[in-house]
Amino acid sequence: MTPSIPLSAQLINLFAAVILLLAFAMLAQRRMHSLVNLFALQGLALCLATLVAAVTTGQVHLYFSAGLTLLLKVVALPWILYRLVRQLNIKGDVEALINIPTTMLVGIGLVMVAFNVALPISELSHTITRGTLGIALAVIMLAFLMMITRQKAISQVVGFLSMENGLFLAATSATYGMPMVVELGIALDVLVGMIILGVFFFQIRDQFDSLDIRHMEKLKDS
Amino acid sequence: MDFFVLMLAIPLVSGALLTIVGERDWAPNLNVVASLGTFLAAVGLTGEIVANGPRFAFGEQFFIDSLNVFFVALTAFVGLTTSIFSGPYMKIERDRGRLTKPRLRLYKSMYQLFMFTMLAALTTNNLGILWVAMEAATLTTVLLVSLYRTPASLEAAWKYFILCGVGIAQALFGTVLLYFAAERVLGATGNALLWTHLVDVKSQLEPTIMALSFIFLLVGYGTKVGLAPLHNWLPDAHAEGPTPVSAVLSGLLLNVALYAILRCKVLADGALPEGYAGNLMIGFGLFTLLVAAFFLSRQKDVKRMFAYSSIEHMGLITFAFGMGGPVANFAGLLHMTMHSLTKSAIFFAVGHATQKTETQLMENIRGLIKINPLIGWGLMLGTLAILGMPPFGVFASEFMILTHAMKHYPWATPILLLALGVAFASIFGKVQAMVFGETTARRLPHAPAIMPVFLHLGIVLMLGLYIPPYLTRWFHEASRMLG
Amino acid sequence: MPGLLSLDLLLVAAAAWLALGLIGLFASRNQALVSQVLFPAGALVGLLVGVTGIAALGGDPQTAVLVIGLPDLPFHLRLDNLSAIFAILLGLTSAGISVYSAGYFGKGDVAGLGTLCLEYHVFLASMLMVLLADDAYAFMVAWECMALSSFFLVTTDHKHEEIRDAGFLYLLIAHIGAIGILLCFGVMTGGAGDYSFAAMRTQELAPFWTSAAFLLALAGFGAKAGLVPLHVWLPEAHPAAPSPVSAMMSGVMLKTAIYGLLRVSFDLLHTTVWWWGVVALVVGLVTALFGVLYATVQNDMKRLLAYSSIENIGLIAVAIGLTLIFHAYGMDALAALAMTAVLYHCLAHAGFKSLLFLCTGSVLHATKERNLGKLGGLIHPMPWVAWLALAGIIAGAGLPPLSGFVSEWLLLQGFLFSPGLPHPWLNMVVPVAAALVVLVAALAGFAMVKFYGIIFLGQMRDPALKDAHDAGPWEKVGLVWLALITLLLGVLPSTVILRLDAATRQLLGAGLSDTLNEQGWWMLAPISAERASYEPLIVLVTIAVVLLLARWLVRTLFHGRVRRSSPWDCGYHFEGPRAQDTAEGFSQPIRRIFEPVFRMQRHFPAARDKQPFYSVKVEDHFWYWCYLPIARLANRISAMIVTLQGGRIAVYLMYSFITLLVLLMVARP
Amino acid sequence: MISVSGFLGQAFAILLALVLAPLLSGWVGQCRAWFQSRSAPPLLLPYYMLQKLFNKEVVLAHNASSLFRAAPFVIFGCMVLACAIVPTLSTDLPFAPSADALALVGIFGLARIFIALAGMDIGTAFGSLGGRREMLIGFLAEPALLMVFFTLAMIAQSTSLATIVETLAHREPVIYPSLAFAGVAFTFVSLAENARVPVDNPATHLELTMIHEAMILEYTGRHLALIEWAASLKLYAYSCLGLALFFPWGIAPGDDILALIAAIPLLLFKLAIGGFLLAGIETINAKMRIFRAPEFLGIAFMLAVLGLLVRLLLEVRV
């Protein structure tokens, strides 16, 4: 460790750690409402991290990114999710396929894997936020794990969005942002995807009377 | 006007137009006309590229060279024939009450947008935009797959969305890593994701990052290609969507995803030790081929079976590109073409067949040749073609792949042959029973659009016996670019 | 340049066949045109092919490169003596079959005559292209076109499930065989990647790979030819197909496989190892014995002939084995003798087996019945067919003075000289193989007597058979043509062998023509008249003279009175058709003696049965030993693999995740 | 190449065969009767019978076909040809090159097929039964016979009967152990082929046991006469073949007229002995069940193969 880490880097690392922590929290969270809250918080942390990076590097489009994140991940998507949860009348706890302590253990293992995988890259990195790539990868993997273990369609989507957060973290903090066109495109895709999913939930509930994905195991070969 | 701009604008505009005007009597015709326009523009563009060489568009954001212009032409062509096919098909669906007017509107507009996203993905120079377009293509097709709104189609669409969404998220991470690697060489400019720039510096890219990046890209886009064990969405989506959608999914979308992998492979090959990317692809390809072949024998639903056949062929193509080198690349490109044309022709025939018999279950489809000889023969010949029987073109490409494998990867040959043999036994036994024999089905009054089937098969037949020199040249150039 | 002309002519012939087929497709409504014009025209083209082949014999190889094909590998064509021999076989046999088809398919109960016409002529053209192909791609394309067109021909009557199944099995095994052939070519390129035969000829291979190539060729071509254990399709497909098609498949298509095997083992591979010959010999013997034993117990007339084809292919393989053994030891004169037997038997079998299949076609048309148990006494309503079929069965039983005997004689002569081999084991074992060959030939006689006797002789087992009609004029012409071929091949062996010699010399560098030229044209003495000779013409003429003389003398010296009455039958008075041997009954001795060879399910009547009946079903052991286990294994594997697609999205995600993790951990550059 | 004397010899041999064949049958019958302490039929019985049959009207079954009527002539023709190529008196036979040992087997086979088909033609129970049994014996006997010929052909380096006999008769005497095996095998085959006890009984009229008789049950008049004559020709041919192959002494070489004349009484003597022995064999054996016949002929085949192996093992100097 170099003796003097700039404050901005320390801040970004902090936010990255918070995002990882929130990812763990989401993995452990049983209630749908809280899950969405946690997701919004994760978005906020992501936004702040981006902002710090923007301030540090002075790159204009990172400000845009931060704004976009704020708009999308902290405001729009949680709002849509809240509405869905309310309208679809999703009550009760989130059912996990694997019990939560086991999930946590697996999650810790995944973090170790992610850090290990990212280690050679971190050593190469010349940016001030060399550690964040590993964290981003860990967040992605945790989100993946969450998608695997959850049974409600909506929590799968939250997991998916959380994965998107991890990607954003990688894109903005580790590399100081992708080209603007790309980020806009990604954001648009995520938004449209979310809207389509929203429509989908209603159709799914109409057809299956539930958002439980265990009902959707009819198409198979075995 | 610029052919390229036209080619992208026509589907975009007509998609919007079709959304606005809604389902009218002339809407199917507009769909066909728009596809025809796209196709003509693509042909014009192709002519331009063949004559003048590669070109950029919209600054450097789009880049058309002999590799992707070939995919563009193919995509536009299959897009056109599918739109012709879907006219009568959708009419019958509406008459049968499976689709309402708003859904038909959705279908047509999404179809055009889907064409747009694919063409954009093929022509973009920016790997980020490539990702965006791929994601957009997923979104449009999710809507197309769920068009019937039946429980099964919703389930299929949901799985498609989630699996491909997750897959493509991994591709994005791969893209980020790629950017990360490129930034170290090219600096944090907007150019760091432009393929043309990356290619120039590909040997300077950091290998460790590139390796990681390629893994993510391969797994990510590979999900979309349908590489086993990431393929699980594919049979569901193919079987439950409307047949024209199955045709374009199989014939085009898989190709586009594979194209994305190919572009990335070129970069990975430059940065990584020789054979790294290739071996990964060979492994995936063989595994996919084998798994898909054994899946085939258990199928009951005809579209699902051909979906697995698509997986199988994607495995074969991935294997071919994995081997690399001009011959294998040539064979891979040829096989992609043949597979697109043949598989979409099969889906056309299957579409008509399932409409005539009102079922997708193969055991209930019998004696197609009695119901309509053209459909019966179309399906029979198409199946034989896809199974690699000469004189159809699929055999030509499989021959090249096999012979190349025998030369360079002899150990892989038995696996290839085993898989092809199992696939042959599984598919042919079932199709033969569907085509031949007696039937109880009535003849329906609707005239099917049988022309696209035989147009495709005719081309495939011709290419099996004779590949025109300009096409050869074009393929050679493209395969040389792939390294 | 007259040399180039033959190849060009053959190409024109192939194109003409294709054109005839296409005309047929588009004029399918005009049945008269298709049957009365197109098929006879096809026969003329066949004749042209035959004559061209004869003209091309002995000349230098002619080559051509077409524009079509793969970019790096356009179609290479080559006409040499070996191809010419088989082109003659194809042309002359198909001429007869095509003429016959004009009558057979003109009867108006064939749906889709146009498609059939196309398939039939594509079949012919692709067989010709197989013979001319000079690179692996062209060969494979022609080969598979042949398989495909014949598959469609086999399934012409696809209403019946067993016909569809037969077609499927046929195409499947053809495909497996094609894979073997492709692999063989791959091996023969030696990794150079040049798939033209010219390159393969010059390729030096390691001994292991040479042997691998040979074994692959044996398996690949054996699948098409019907060598055990890849024969299972043959007895299914031949009966399923319309009779002219069965005739074509059995008479000609099986020979293309022999052609391929000869091409690979004697032309493309330039070394020969003695044990290849042993392998071919053993496989051939097993095939021949198996084929003939099963032929004797069949109750379906076309199945019987199909198994008999297996037997004949087995004999050809035996002869090929012998040729390989002699060739490997450099005994070229003897190798030439055995090779002549191979080629001669190909020609002979093409003639008589097509003839017999066409005869079954006429019987089938006249009676709508394939089951031997319902036929009988057809010599009365169908004298033409019956007497021509007699020529077929005499040749098929390998008896003088017809064609089948000549090749068998040559083969046995070859065996007789095998003790000169420098290998003690071979010395001992190979002559015993000759005894088995004779056993096969004698059993073939049994099968042929059964075939002929049950169909044409005795009392009609079904009163409806009285209305059977003889073959029509077109059919008669076709039958007579093939019978003529059988006869001429039988009585003019030297003349024919002198022509075959061109191919033998090309492949082995030695031939029989020197010795034969010293003798008269009527005499066949491959080594010298002292050692062995055969003059079929004399045999035929002597028997005929004695026959006529005896008849004349008896009539002149005594009288020619004849009185008709009921048969005596040892005084028993029940003499209905049911008193005769049934098809099952006829083969009872064989079933009893060779019981372990068959897989039989028998039902015996019990003493108190209200409706006693006897039934026996003979099935193929190989089916249970080889094919079902493989099918079960494949089924089990796929049952295991389909669990991948269990329907659970979480599991699917897990696959994706695990794949990613594994790749991240393992795949480090 | 073809000498006049050769032609004369050939013609004489054929005539002799035609004349002697019924006599041989008669002789065997007479010997049998002696052995069995019966009063013997006249020696010339076969001739009387032929005479009678030729004079009789032919009674044909209603559904007898043209093949049925042609078959006796074909069979007769085959047998005459067979007799013509077996060296009986001299090895200088113009017909000899037309068919060697292998072709001879083929000619017998041709006759067999015709008689079996003729048996099936009327469509009675016994005819087809005889036909199938005949073919059964045939396919078992043929390989054994051929193995015998193979052994001999290896000794003589030729399959031409004339050459074989020439080699055996006129070279310096060598003891060939293989010939012993071959000889026994040949005897077995001959018994089976000529419908003798223990395989068949030429005198039987017990329907279920007969083979040859069952096939010709429906023949009458001149047809039957020809078939009977052909049967005796076959017996004659086989006897002469056996004599020529295993006891070749006295057969005239080339165109030696004197030797030819001397060969006649020798042949008669040898045939008389042979017929006597045949009758003896027929008397001391009982007829076997039909399904013992494969075993019997199987033994013949084994012996022939043993002969061949003995030949290869002991006699060939490589």
Side-chain angles (χ1 to χ4, degrees), chain C residues 380 387 409 413 416 438 446 457-459 530-533 535 559 563-565 568-570 580-581 585 593, chain D residues 55-58 60-63 66 97-98 100 117 121 123 126 128 132 146 157-159 163 207 218:
Chain C
H380 302 288
W387 280 98
W409 189 84
Q413 291 295 343
L416 203 57
V438 177
F446 191 99
L457 303 178
Q459 302 181 52
E530 287 289 292
R531 301 192 66 163
S533 61
E535 293 166 356
H559 58 87
R563 179 162 63 86
R564 291 277 181 174
S565 103
W568 177 55
D569 199 21
C570 287
Q580 308 170 84
D581 245 356
I593 297 172
Chain D
N55 272 317
K56 276 201 156 191
E57 183 183 44
V58 169
L60 276 183
H62 287 302
N63 69 335
S66 41
S98 68
D100 62 354
L117 288 178
D121 185 59
F126 297 115
S128 47
R132 86 158 105 113
L146 215 88
Q157 290 294 305
S158 165
T159 55
T163 317
E207 298 86 354
E218 300 300 328

Side-chain angles (χ1 to χ4, degrees), chain D residues 3-177:
Chain D
S3 62
V4 181
S5 67
F7 247 106
L8 284 177
Q10 178 74 71
F12 183 68
I14 292 176
L15 280 177
L16 194 69
L18 286 172
V19 173
L20 275 188
L23 185 66
L24 179 62
S25 304
W27 168 247
V28 175
Q30 210 164 33
C31 293
R32 238 155 69 122
W34 291 339
F35 275 123
Q36 295 165 359
S37 314
R38 292 188 277 122
S39 60
L43 185 63
L44 299 181
L45 179 71
Y47 297 103
Y48 301 144
M49 209 157 77
L50 288 180
Q51 167 75 13
K52 187 181 78 181
L53 287 174
F54 275 125
N55 272 317
K56 276 201 156 191
E57 183 183 44
V58 169
V59 182
L60 276 183
H62 287 302
N63 69 335
S65 69
S66 41
L67 186 127
F68 185 76
R69 300 176 65 172
F73 294 96
V74 176
I75 297 161
F76 186 70
C78 289
M79 288 312 162
V80 171
L81 179 64
C83 287
I85 54 180
V86 174
T88 44
L89 302 172
S90 146
T91 55
D92 179 28
L93 296 171
F95 270 127
S98 68
D100 62 354
L102 308 183
L104 182 68
V105 177
I107 290 166
F108 283 134
L110 186 64
R112 187 195 338 274
I113 282 216
F114 268 93
I115 200 165
L117 288 178
M120 297 175 79
D121 185 59
I122 306 293
T124 59
F126 297 115
S128 47
L129 181 126
R132 86 158 105 113
R133 288 183 174 174
E134 173 72 9
M135 295 313 291
L136 168 72
I137 301 296
F139 82 72
L140 292 165
E142 266 182 33
L145 183 59
L146 215 88
M147 278 293 102
V148 172
F149 283 145
F150 252 52
T151 314
L152 294 160
M154 277 179 195
I155 294 174
Q157 290 294 305
S158 165
T159 55
S160 161
L161 286 168
T163 317
I164 295 175
V165 173
E166 189 118 24
T167 316
L168 294 175
H170 304 294
R171 285 207 199 138
E172 82 266 36
V174 179
I175 294 173
Y176 294 110

Side-chain angles (χ1 to χ4, degrees), chain D residues 263-301:
Chain D
I264 298 172
L266 199 60
L267 175 73
L268 286 175
F269 175 70
K270 285 196 282 188
L271 277 177
I273 301 283
F276 185 76
L277 289 176
L278 176 61
I281 294 172
E282 284 204 281
T283 307
I284 58 173
N285 280 301
K287 187 192 169 301
M288 296 183 296
R289 286 178 64 211
I290 186 79
F291 282 105
R292 291 280 313 284
E295 293 170 22
F296 180 76
L297 288 164
I299 291 169
F301 179 68

Side-chain angles (χ1 to χ4, degrees), chain B residues 155 158-159 162-163 166 170 207 211-212 215-216 219 223 229-233 235-236 272-273 276 280 284 290-291 294-295 297-298 304 308 330 369-370 377 380-381 384 387-392 395-396 399-400 402-403 406-407 413 417 420-421 424-425 428-429 432-433 436-438 464-467 472 476, chain C residues 67-73 75 115 119 136-137 140-142 144-145 147-148 151-152 155 158-160 163-165 167-168 171-172 175 179 182-187 191-193 195 209 633-649 652-653 655-657 659-660 663-664 667-669:
Chain B
E155 184 184 336
W158 173 256
K159 286 176 177 170
I162 291 293
L163 288 171
V166 168
Q170 294 168 47
L212 267 186
I215 288 173
F216 275 97
V219 171
T223 309
L230 318 166
H231 66 279
N232 306 70
W233 63 274
D236 298 351
L272 290 168
Y276 174 77
L280 276 179
F284 263 113
L290 209 56
V291 166
F294 279 102
F295 262 111
S297 68
R298 288 291 176 116
R304 212 174 160 83
Y308 276 112
F330 181 95
I369 223 163
K370 283 268 164 58
W377 279 108
M380 176 54 94
L381 294 178
L384 287 169
L387 291 174
M389 277 303 225
F392 294 101
F395 175 73
F399 180 83
M400 285 196 274
L402 271 174
T403 50
M406 271 189 245
K407 188 171 160 189
T413 326
L417 292 175
L420 291 179
F424 184 91
F428 191 75
Q432 192 207 23
F436 283 159
E438 294 288 5
L465 290 172
Y466 177 63
I467 304 175
T472 314
H476 271 311
Chain C
V67 284
I68 57 174
L70 293 181
D72 307 330
L73 193 64
F75 278 14
T115 0
E119 291 156 6
Y137 185 68
M140 291 311 297
V141 168
E144 292 283 68
C145 281
L148 209 51
F151 159 75
F152 282 121
T155 52
H158 54 73
K159 286 197 297 290
H160 307 289
I163 288 186
R164 294 199 299 271
D165 291 348
F168 173 57
L171 198 61
L172 183 62
H175 199 68
I179 287 174
L182 188 58
L183 278 177
C184 162
F185 287 143
V187 169
Y195 276 80
W209 288 112
L633 180 71
N635 215 2
R636 205 163 297 159
I637 294 177
S638 75
M640 235 156 59
I641 284 188
V642 289
T643 51
L644 273 181
Q645 192 82 357
R648 240 185 206 194
I649 193 165
Y652 296 170
L653 282 169
Y655 294 148
S656 178
F657 195 38
T659 311
L660 185 71
L663 285 182
L664 286 178
R668 294 287 172 83

Side-chain angles (χ1 to χ4, degrees), chain D residues 183-197:
Chain D
V184 176
F186 182 79
T187 315
F188 277 33
V189 172
S190 306
L191 288 175
E193 283 275 34
N194 287 291
R196 315 305 294 196
V197 175

